[in-house]
């Protein structure tokens, strides 16, 4: 029986599904041999599946990816009849099935499919398309309307689908429609009628109201009733689910003015957005009701609570607690921890008005932990998930502000100091006071004040105070600690004296070195050998002192900042025990050792100095097992393990002490330093899973806290640390069931509240999310002076920086990791201390090392384009379970949000976003147990906060003017990612769609250009979610096909070459009058210009041309009666915009070598037509020849044709403009009689050269025999010169000593020196 259904006209994006149709080579009897074809809508695939009667029939895997495949059926028989569908394989699995094709008995056509497509909501005056799919090609489609015997319209399309358009929808168009098909050659062979379709025009009656009973938030399996009520009796009511209009559509005829739609045993897929309307017997409908969102969930989503103006408030002030959640239309209730009943209520109307919970005149009793829950007025079995809480701290006195100097408390010459007053909660105004001057006051809103030291009047002691917003006339009773500003560092400081003394001593040393250097040069100017040695030594020493002086001056004058390189230790492994006997674990015990470093190679287990080695397993868990079996007396002892890497061994793990059977290993107790008034967590670490924990305090018999089986470790919490909580603590573990087996007590842990400095400021200079090999610098700073710093990683000390006394003012230390490795990630913090007092630990910085795991995917829900003030959820999907996720934004160093989840995805809520939140977002995930090893960053996702989609652009590739039969691709580009595009053609209601585009580009391909493909196109974004954001159309693109008319001629006036800045006209002449001419340029996708002259030609004027206008131009034309069917392209015209034409090329034919009795033709070629060429011969002033075709004949009479040639050309239209000359070309002569004469001469000359070289060799041999005697003479002369120089140098040292004559000295030396042969 035919199923009647109504379709409400509404623009809802549907999921892409494949197309299924029939082809046959028997037009008059298609059932004799049929083939089913399946085509995917937007992507290639390697698998296609054919289903028959909802069961798999066959699947095809082609050898290459394709859009469509065929399934041969053959002759249609009774066994082949049934319901057919097809699917194709996507990356995420099988696609949605195609529409159902029903094959009935032979002799009948398949029943067509009938549906409606509308561009606008179904109001009067809009356009509606009714689509009928007939499965076969070349059918006749008939549209029938109830009450009419004849068809209201028919079509004969070329494909398998007909589109019946209804323009300007009116109430007369309402009614029930059906569609039928028949073969053109057999008009008596009809298909069965399609399913009837009701067309209802909306907006003629007032909208109804839609409500849910018992409520719109229900659990799976519960019953729900939706009530649609209107003002008119006797109407038919319809209910729709917007997410699935085709399947979720319900009708009810009611005698009253309301209808109930029942849902038995709700399913998760029943959740969604519902609307309803009503219509009369003539199918005139009402407006849509307001959208009602139905939630089907087993757990309430979390709510968020925010305290304004701050969670830390003084007594007597008003506090606003703002609670919000993703569910609308539900009230909220405010709870305080420790109280069963809610404190306040807010109904849904108050929430829509942005009202909040108000606590007036808070007192100390109002302090505590608050949360808010959904307030339901109906019963349901939905669980309430843990909610976000806010801890409200009420202080009796306003907190004391802190006063610090931005750079230093010591003035520098010509510099001012910025004083910063800070407090932990919002204030109205700050006041800065100067003790030495009672009348001095400076007011500031942000707490910053600039103090200058003109004539030394800025030194002294300063303090600051503030007044609050609630009582702006009363100033805070608490003043900051005094801060003293000192005079500039002049002659009064020891550092200055030390620096000046060092600088003066270096200058004196430099002057002394220069004097010594000049004295050596003047005294020993004749001793060449010694002078070179002395000068080199003096210069080397001088340069050494210069470098030392520069370094020392730089160190003395600069600001001393500690920068410590972190030598990252190998991470300490973790040791624990496992057993399969929870009540008696010593019966079978296995020790496990795990390292947080991913580069660990092997492990070693040590027991009292001896051990076993276990290699690292291949899994990513990086651990090794040491089976002990049943625990005996020989196993008792202290165990710890090491992890080995390639070049290092880790620190030992915590010791695990096995003391024998019936006694569990001793646990380890630890805690961070206690701080007065703050929460403290005490960690008790056991060695077995599934144990209970108990915390004991010295002096008390019973445990102060107990925890059940929570793993291998437990955290005991002291909410607010006070003096009464001080003392010695210990913990014990026990088995889960009676009788308990207890461990020995842990070593005692003393908790003492000590006075501490405020926590330091700790950060990284760049983002804490880094890639392997990056450079990371941690900055730990405090306003306190002369402090030492400690850097911690995961609670363990890894580096320290000693105090420095050289620089007054604030202290800071820089810890540097030169090249980050995979194992360097973790939670870093720092502390500072002086001789006896430590600071509080700083806030932790999570250093994440990426590129270890595959990158996640980031999606925006409902979409990446949202209105200001709305919420958007960023869904980060990872690849592994139990990870921690972080959301990052481009331009910010610190991640915006963190989430630790048990699944493989996390949702980050951006609440009430504004235009400032627009930007590129990305996410990562990382494991917290293995050195924060993280994934690659996800692909960036651009979030647009606007009320209008950005306008996309549409262009054609390679051009919008396409020859007949060629392919062209229309590209729709826009900056928004993850949104599909839709292509519109003017004059057609149907649109080609590309769904689920994952890039900025949307490609619409036309494989073979024809007249049917021409026209005006535009495109726009087509989001898959319902959104009120406006969508702008792109630019209009005219697609023109060429090759249908004779080609035109294109001429350039005054010529194809013009100088820059001149005017130019391109004339396109066609063969038909009253045509539209289009000018094209090679390399541009759009036409440059269009003209519609009255004659046969069009002049395209190009004023003030530039070099960018150079290129290849062409033109086409088309008639007004066929505006997109153009002519062939004209011949290409090369345009040159230049002062000088480009140089030509010169070549010789047949070669550049003259042969006896043969001439050579020189061919000069240029890029421009209509030119005259000239040939020039090197050495001749006048041009050689002129030619219009560029050919020059050269003969070699008496050798006059040999030499270098070049050519140039000039335009006939501009004879005064010459081109640059071509590259020179050399013509050479052949080996004739003259060449033979030259060869003989060369042989003679070469022989003479050989004779001269031999003669020179003989002379050198004779001289070589005389060499020993010449060398002896040279030695004597050299010795004589040395003696004279030494005597002259010694005369001043021994003025009374009688010296020998130079001649005698030389004789003595010549006798003593032996002669080497």
């Amino acid at each position: 029986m035919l199923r009647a259904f109504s379709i409400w006209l509404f623009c809802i994006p549907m999921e892409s599904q494949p197309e299924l149709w029939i082809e046959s080579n028997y037009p008059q009897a298609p059932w004799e041999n049929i083939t089913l074809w399946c085509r995917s809508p937007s992507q290639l695939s390697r698998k296609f599946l054919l289903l028959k009667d909802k069961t798999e029939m066959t699947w095809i895997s082609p050898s290459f990816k394709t859009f469509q495949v065929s399934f041969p059926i053959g002759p249609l028989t009774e066994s082949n009849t049934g319901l057919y569908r097809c699917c194709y394989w996507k990356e995420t699995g099988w696609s949605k099935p195609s529409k159902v094709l029903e094959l009935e008995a032979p002799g009948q056509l398949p029943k067509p499919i009938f549906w409606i497509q509308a561009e606008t909501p179904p109001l009067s005056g809009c356009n509606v398309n009714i689509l009928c799919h007939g499965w076969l090609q070349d059918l006749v489609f008939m549209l029938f309307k109830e009450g009419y015997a004849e068809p209201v319209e028919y079509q004969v399309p070329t494909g398998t689908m007909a589109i019946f358009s209804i323009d300007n929808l009116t109430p007369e168009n309402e009614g029930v429609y059906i569609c039928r098909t028949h073969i053109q050659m057999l008009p008596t062979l009809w298909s069965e009628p399609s399913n009837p379709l009701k067309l209802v025009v909306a907006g003629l009656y007032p909208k109804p109201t839609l409500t849910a009973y018992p409520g719109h938030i229900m659990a799976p399996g519960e019953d729900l009733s939706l009530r649609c009520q209107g003002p008119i009796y006797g109407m038919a009511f319809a209910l729709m689910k917007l997410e699935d209009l085709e399947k979720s559509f319900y009708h009810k005829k009611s005698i009253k003015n309301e209808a109930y739609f029942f849902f038995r045993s709700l399913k998760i897929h029943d959740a969604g957005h519902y609307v309803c309307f009503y219509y009369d017997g003539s199918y005139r409908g009402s407006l849509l009701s307001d959208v009602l969102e139905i939630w089907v969930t087993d757990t309430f989503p979390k709510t968020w609570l925010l305290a304004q103006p701050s969670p830390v408030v003084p007594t007597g002030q008003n506090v606003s607690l703002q609670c919000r959640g993703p569910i609308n239309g539900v009230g909220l209730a405010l709870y305080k921890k420790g109280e069963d009943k809610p404190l306040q209520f807010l109904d849904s109307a108050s929430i829509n008005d942005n009202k909040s919970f108000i606590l007036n005149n808070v007192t100390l009793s109002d302090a505590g932990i608050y949360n808010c829950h959904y307030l339901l007025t109906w019963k349901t079995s939905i669980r309430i998930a843990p909610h976000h809480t806010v801890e409200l701290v009420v202080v009796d006195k306003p907190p004391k502000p802190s006063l610090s100097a931005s750079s230093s408390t010591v003035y520098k010459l010509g510099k001012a100091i910025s004083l910063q007053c800070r407090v932990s909660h919002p204030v109205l105004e700050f006041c800065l006071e100067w003790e030495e001057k009672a009348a001095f006051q400076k007011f500031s809103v942000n707490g910053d004040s600039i103090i200058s030291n003109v004539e030394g009047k800025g030194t002294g002691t300063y303090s600051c105070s503030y007044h609050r917003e609630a009582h702006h006339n009363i100033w805070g009773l608490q003043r900051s600690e005094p801060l003293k500003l000192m005079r500039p560092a002049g002659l009064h400081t020891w550092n200055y004296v030390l620096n000046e003394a060092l600088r003066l001593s270096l200058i004196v040393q430099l002057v002394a070195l220069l004097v010594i250097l000049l004295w050596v040069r003047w005294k020993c100017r004749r001793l060449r050998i010694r002078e070179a040695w002395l000068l080199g030594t003096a210069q080397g020493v001088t340069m050494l002192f210069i470098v030392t002086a520069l370094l020392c001056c730089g160190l003395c004058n600069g600001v001393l900042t500690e920068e410590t390189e972190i030598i990252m230790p190998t991470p300490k492994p973790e040791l624990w025990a496992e057993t399969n006997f929870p009540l008696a674990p010593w019966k079978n015990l296995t020790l496990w050792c795990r390292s947080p470093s991913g580069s660990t190679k092997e492990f070693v287990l040590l027991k009292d100095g001896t051990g076993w080695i276990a290699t690292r397993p291949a899994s990513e868990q990086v651990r090794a097992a040491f089976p002990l079996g049943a625990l005996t007396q020989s196993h008792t002892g202290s165990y710890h393990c090491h992890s080995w890497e390639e070049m290092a061994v880790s620190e030992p793990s915590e010791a695990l002490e096995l003391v024998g059977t019936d006694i569990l290993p001793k646990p380890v107790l630890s805690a961070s330093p206690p701080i007065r008034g703050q929460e403290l967590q005490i960690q008790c670490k056991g060695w077995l899973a599934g144990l209970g924990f108990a915390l004991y305090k010295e002096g008390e018999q019973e445990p102060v806290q107990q925890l059940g089986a929570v793993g291998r470790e437990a955290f005991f919490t002291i909410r607010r640390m006070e003096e009464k909580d001080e003392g010695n603590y210990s913990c014990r573990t026990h088995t889960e069931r009676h009788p308990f087996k207890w461990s020995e007590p842990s070593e005692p842990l003393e908790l003492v509240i000590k006075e501490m400095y405020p926590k330091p400021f700790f950060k990284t200079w760049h983002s804490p999310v880094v890639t392997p090999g990056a450079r990371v610098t941690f900055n730990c700073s405090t306003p306190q002076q002369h402090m030492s710093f400690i850097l911690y990683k995961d609670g363990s000390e890894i580096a320290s920086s000693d105090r420095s006394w050289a620089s007054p003012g604030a202290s800071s230390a820089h810890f540097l990791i030169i090249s980050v490795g995979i194992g360097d990630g973790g939670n870093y913090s720092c502390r500072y201390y002086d001789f006896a007092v430590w600071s509080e630990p700083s806030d932790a910085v999570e250093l994440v090392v990426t590129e270890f795991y595959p990158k996640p995917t980031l999606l925006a829900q409902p979409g990446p384009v949202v209105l200001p003030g709305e919420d958007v959820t960023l869904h980060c999907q990872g690849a592994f379970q139990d990870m921690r996720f972080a959301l990052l934004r481009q331009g910010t160093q610190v991640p915006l949000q963190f989430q630790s989840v048990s699944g493989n995805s996390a949702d980050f809520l951006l609440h009430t976003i504004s235009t400032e939140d627009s930007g590129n977002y990305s996410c990562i995930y990382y494991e917290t147990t293995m050195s924060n090893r993280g994934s690659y960053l996800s692909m960036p996702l651009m979030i647009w906060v606007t009320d209008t989609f950005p306008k996309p652009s549409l262009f054609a590739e390679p051009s919008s003017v396409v020859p007949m039969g060629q392919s062209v691709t229309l590209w729709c580009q826009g900056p928004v990612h993850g949104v599909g595009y839709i292509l519109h053609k003017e004059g057609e209601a149907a649109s080609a769609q590309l769904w689920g585009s994952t890039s900025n580009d949307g490609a619409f391909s036309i494989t073979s250009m024809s007249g049917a493909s021409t026209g005006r196109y535009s495109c726009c974004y087509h989001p898959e979610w319902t959104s009120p954001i406006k969508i702008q159309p792109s630019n209009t693109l005219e697609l023109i096909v060429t090759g249908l008319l004779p080609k035109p001629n294109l001429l350039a006036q005054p010529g194809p070459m013009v100088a820059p800045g001149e005017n130019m006209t391109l004339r396109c002449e066609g063969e038909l009058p009253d045509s539209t001419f289009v000018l094209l340029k090679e390399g541009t996708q759009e036409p440059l210009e269009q003209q519609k002259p009255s004659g046969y030609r069009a002049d395209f004027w190009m004023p003030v041309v530039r070099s960018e206008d150079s290129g290849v131009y062409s033109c086409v034309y088309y008639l007004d009666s066929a505006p997109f069917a153009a002519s062939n392209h004209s011949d290409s015209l090369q345009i040159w915009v230049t002062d000088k034409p480009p140089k030509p090329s010169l070549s010789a034919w047949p070669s550049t070598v003259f042969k006896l009795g043969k001439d050579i033709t020189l061919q000069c070629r240029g890029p421009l037509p209509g030119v005259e060429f000239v040939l020039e011969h090197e050495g001749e002033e006048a041009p050689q020849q002129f030619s219009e075709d560029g050919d020059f004949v050269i003969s070699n009479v008496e050798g006059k044709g040999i030499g270098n040639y070049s050519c140039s050309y000039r335009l006939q239209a501009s004879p005064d403009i010459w081109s640059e000359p071509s590259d020179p070309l050399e013509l050479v002569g052949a080996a004739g009689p003259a060449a033979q004469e030259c060869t003989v001469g060369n042989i003679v000359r070469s022989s003479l050269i050989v004779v001269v070289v031999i003669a020179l060799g003989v002379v050198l041999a004779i001289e070589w025999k005389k060499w020993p005697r010449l060398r002896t003479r040279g030695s004597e002369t050299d010795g004589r010169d040395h003696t004279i120089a030494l005597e002259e140098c010694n005369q001043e040292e021994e003025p009374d000593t009688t010296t020998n004559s130079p001649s005698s000295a030389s004789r003595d030396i010549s006798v003593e020196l032996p002669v080497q042969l």
Side-chain angles (χ1 to χ4, degrees), residues 173-247:
N173 299 124
E174 294 179 323
V176 178
Y177 290 83
I178 61 171
C179 173
R180 296 187 69 182
T181 62
H182 70 82
I183 299 177
Q184 297 185 37
M185 299 181 181
L186 294 176
T188 58
L189 182 59
W190 286 80
S191 69
E192 290 189 7
S194 66
N195 292 332
L197 186 146
K198 290 182 181 179
L199 179 60
V200 180
V201 180
L204 301 180
Y205 295 110
K207 68 178 180 181
T209 57
L210 183 63
T211 54
Y213 181 82
H216 65 282
I217 309 173
M218 305 297 292
E222 295 180 340
D223 298 338
L224 175 68
S225 175
L226 297 183
R227 175 194 180 195
C228 185
Q229 184 180 25
I232 303 174
Y233 282 71
M235 292 288 185
F237 288 82
L239 178 71
M240 297 183 303
K241 180 183 176 184
L242 297 183
E243 286 79 6
D244 194 354
L245 291 179
E246 186 174 349
K247 290 185 178 179

Side-chain angles (χ1 to χ4, degrees), residues 84-114:
Y84 288 84
R85 294 180 301 170
C86 73
C87 308
Y88 66 95
W89 181 259
K90 302 189 298 184
E91 295 181 356
T92 57
W94 289 106
S95 69
K96 183 179 179 181
S98 66
K99 296 184 181 298
V100 177
L101 166 61
E102 184 176 359
L103 292 181
E104 300 187 5
Q108 295 182 4
L109 294 179
K111 180 170 63 176
I113 295 180
F114 202 31

Side-chain angles (χ1 to χ4, degrees), residues 1157-1193:
K1158 300 293 184 181
D1159 296 335
I1160 292 178
T1161 300
L1162 296 182
Q1163 298 175 341
C1164 186
R1165 298 292 183 263
L1168 300 179
V1171 297
E1172 183 181 16
F1173 296 92
V1174 62
L1175 182 68
E1176 297 180 357
H1177 188 193
E1178 186 178 337
E1180 297 182 7
E1181 296 182 358
Q1184 183 73 12
Q1185 299 181 30
F1186 290 89
S1187 173
E1188 292 185 358
D1189 58 358
D1191 292 343
F1192 304 93
V1193 179

Side-chain angles (χ1 to χ4, degrees), residues 1223-1253:
D1223 296 331
L1225 179 67
E1226 184 180 7
L1227 300 185
V1228 298
Q1236 294 176 2
E1237 181 180 355
C1238 180
T1239 303
V1240 173
N1242 289 338
I1243 294 175
V1244 174
R1245 295 185 185 93
S1246 300
S1247 301
L1248 291 177
I1249 291 173
V1250 172
V1251 172
V1252 172
V1253 170

Side-chain angles (χ1 to χ4, degrees), residues 422-438:
R422 296 292 184 265
V423 72
S424 60
H425 60 82
V427 299
L428 189 62
E429 194 174 23
F430 292 90
C431 178
L432 182 69
E433 297 181 1
W434 188 11
E435 290 186 4
E436 285 77 6
K437 191 173 183 181

Side-chain angles (χ1 to χ4, degrees), residues 712-933:
R712 290 194 301 272
E713 60 184 8
F715 291 90
F716 301 99
T717 303
I718 299 177
R719 292 294 181 187
R720 192 178 182 87
M721 192 69 189
E722 303 292 349
E723 284 79 359
K724 60 182 179 62
D725 298 316
E726 294 181 331
N728 290 323
Y729 289 81
S730 62
C731 73
R732 298 180 68 185
T733 60
H734 61 82
T735 55
E736 187 177 3
R737 298 179 183 177
H738 288 280
F740 289 153
K741 300 294 183 181
W742 288 85
S743 69
E744 290 188 351
S746 66
E747 296 295 331
L749 174 67
E750 184 180 9
L751 297 183
V752 179
I753 300 176
K754 297 181 180 179
E755 294 300 325
M756 289 189 174
Y757 290 123
K759 63 183 178 182
F761 302 100
F762 186 57
K763 65 178 182 179
T764 58
W765 278 2
H766 301 289
S767 174
V769 180
V770 297
T771 57
R775 179 188 178 100
V776 176
T777 301
F778 295 98
N779 180 23
C780 188
S781 61
T782 175
Q784 307 293 331
Q785 299 184 21
H786 312 310
M787 293 292 170
S788 298
F789 295 86
I790 302 291
L791 181 68
Y792 298 89
K793 178 191 175 186
D794 298 327
S796 300
E797 178 183 342
I798 60 172
S800 62
S801 174
D802 294 332
R803 64 174 61 87
S804 175
W805 297 91
S807 176
S811 301
S812 65
H814 298 157
F815 298 96
L816 173 66
I817 304 179
I818 295 180
S819 180
V820 171
I822 288 295
D824 294 336
N827 296 327
Y828 289 80
S829 61
C830 75
R831 298 178 69 186
Y832 63 92
Y833 64 95
D834 56 11
F835 294 101
V837 182
W838 284 74
S839 73
E840 301 176 15
S842 68
D843 295 330
V845 172
E846 296 185 45
L847 183 65
V848 181
V849 184
T850 61
E851 299 185 1
F852 188 81
Y853 291 109
K855 65 181 179 182
T857 57
L858 185 63
L859 301 174
Q861 296 172 353
V865 183
V866 292
L867 288 171
E870 291 190 349
D871 299 343
V872 63
T873 300
L874 300 183
H875 179 77
C876 186
Q877 180 70 45
F880 298 96
Q881 305 279 339
D882 301 325
M883 291 287 181
R884 184 168 171 83
F885 288 78
L887 179 67
L888 302 96
R889 180 185 173 189
Q890 185 177 349
T892 58
Q893 294 185 356
V894 181
L896 301 181
Q897 297 182 33
F898 291 93
Q899 276 195 32
S900 297
V901 297
S902 58
N904 60 352
S905 64
D907 291 331
F908 299 98
L909 176 67
L910 301 181
H911 185 64
T912 316
I913 61 177
S914 60
T915 54
E916 289 78 10
D917 297 316
S918 298
N920 282 315
Y921 291 79
S922 59
C923 71
I924 59 168
Y925 61 91
Y926 58 96
E927 53 181 348
T928 56
T929 59
M930 297 293 286
S931 300
N932 289 3
R933 296 185 305 186

Side-chain angles (χ1 to χ4, degrees), residues 125-353:
C126 71
N127 299 329
V128 176
N129 293 326
I130 304 178
L131 284 70
C132 185
H133 192 287
W135 309 108
L136 274 168
Q137 296 185 358
D138 302 326
L139 293 177
V140 178
F141 290 79
M142 296 288 187
L143 179 64
F144 293 88
K145 184 179 179 183
E146 186 179 21
Y148 293 84
E150 298 297 327
V152 294
E153 189 178 350
Y154 75 93
Q155 287 187 14
V156 187
T158 57
T160 61
M161 185 173 61
I163 302 176
F164 301 100
S165 298
I166 301 178
D167 298 331
N168 297 324
L169 189 66
T170 62
E172 288 75 15
N173 299 124
E174 294 179 323
V176 178
Y177 290 83
I178 61 171
C179 173
R180 296 187 69 182
T181 62
H182 70 82
I183 299 177
Q184 297 185 37
M185 299 181 181
L186 294 176
T188 58
L189 182 59
W190 286 80
S191 69
E192 290 189 7
S194 66
N195 292 332
L197 186 146
K198 290 182 181 179
L199 179 60
V200 180
V201 180
L204 301 180
Y205 295 110
K207 68 178 180 181
T209 57
L210 183 63
T211 54
Y213 181 82
H216 65 282
I217 309 173
M218 305 297 292
E222 295 180 340
D223 298 338
L224 175 68
S225 175
L226 297 183
R227 175 194 180 195
C228 185
Q229 184 180 25
I232 303 174
Y233 282 71
M235 292 288 185
F237 288 82
L239 178 71
M240 297 183 303
K241 180 183 176 184
L242 297 183
E243 286 79 6
D244 194 354
L245 291 179
E246 186 174 349
K247 290 185 178 179
S248 302
F249 202 89
Y250 313 95
H251 285 272
K252 278 213 172 176
K253 181 68 176 176
S254 177
I255 59 175
K256 295 184 179 182
N257 64 335
E258 61 184 9
Y260 290 88
F261 301 89
F262 296 98
F263 292 84
R264 304 293 183 185
S265 185
L266 283 170
K267 304 294 189 299
I268 295 295
H269 60 77
D270 292 326
H273 298 78
Y274 288 82
V275 294
C276 73
F277 65 99
Y278 58 91
Y279 56 94
D280 57 18
S282 299
Y283 303 106
R284 292 189 297 269
S286 69
L287 293 172
L288 289 175
S289 68
D290 293 332
V291 178
L292 176 63
E293 185 177 7
I294 300 298
W295 291 74
V296 182
T297 177
D298 54 358
T299 304
F300 272 106
K302 290 183 178 181
T303 56
W304 294 268
L305 192 61
L306 180 65
Q308 294 290 346
S310 172
V312 180
V313 293
T315 56
Q317 186 171 339
N318 298 337
V319 179
S320 171
L321 298 178
Q322 185 179 13
C323 181
R324 291 296 180 266
I327 299 180
N328 297 325
V330 183
L332 295 170
L334 179 67
Y335 290 84
K336 182 180 179 183
K337 190 172 182 180
E339 299 184 12
D340 297 333
K341 295 182 179 180
L343 302 180
Q344 296 182 27
F345 301 95
L346 283 178
D347 56 13
S348 58
S350 300
I351 297 173
N352 294 334
D353 295 337

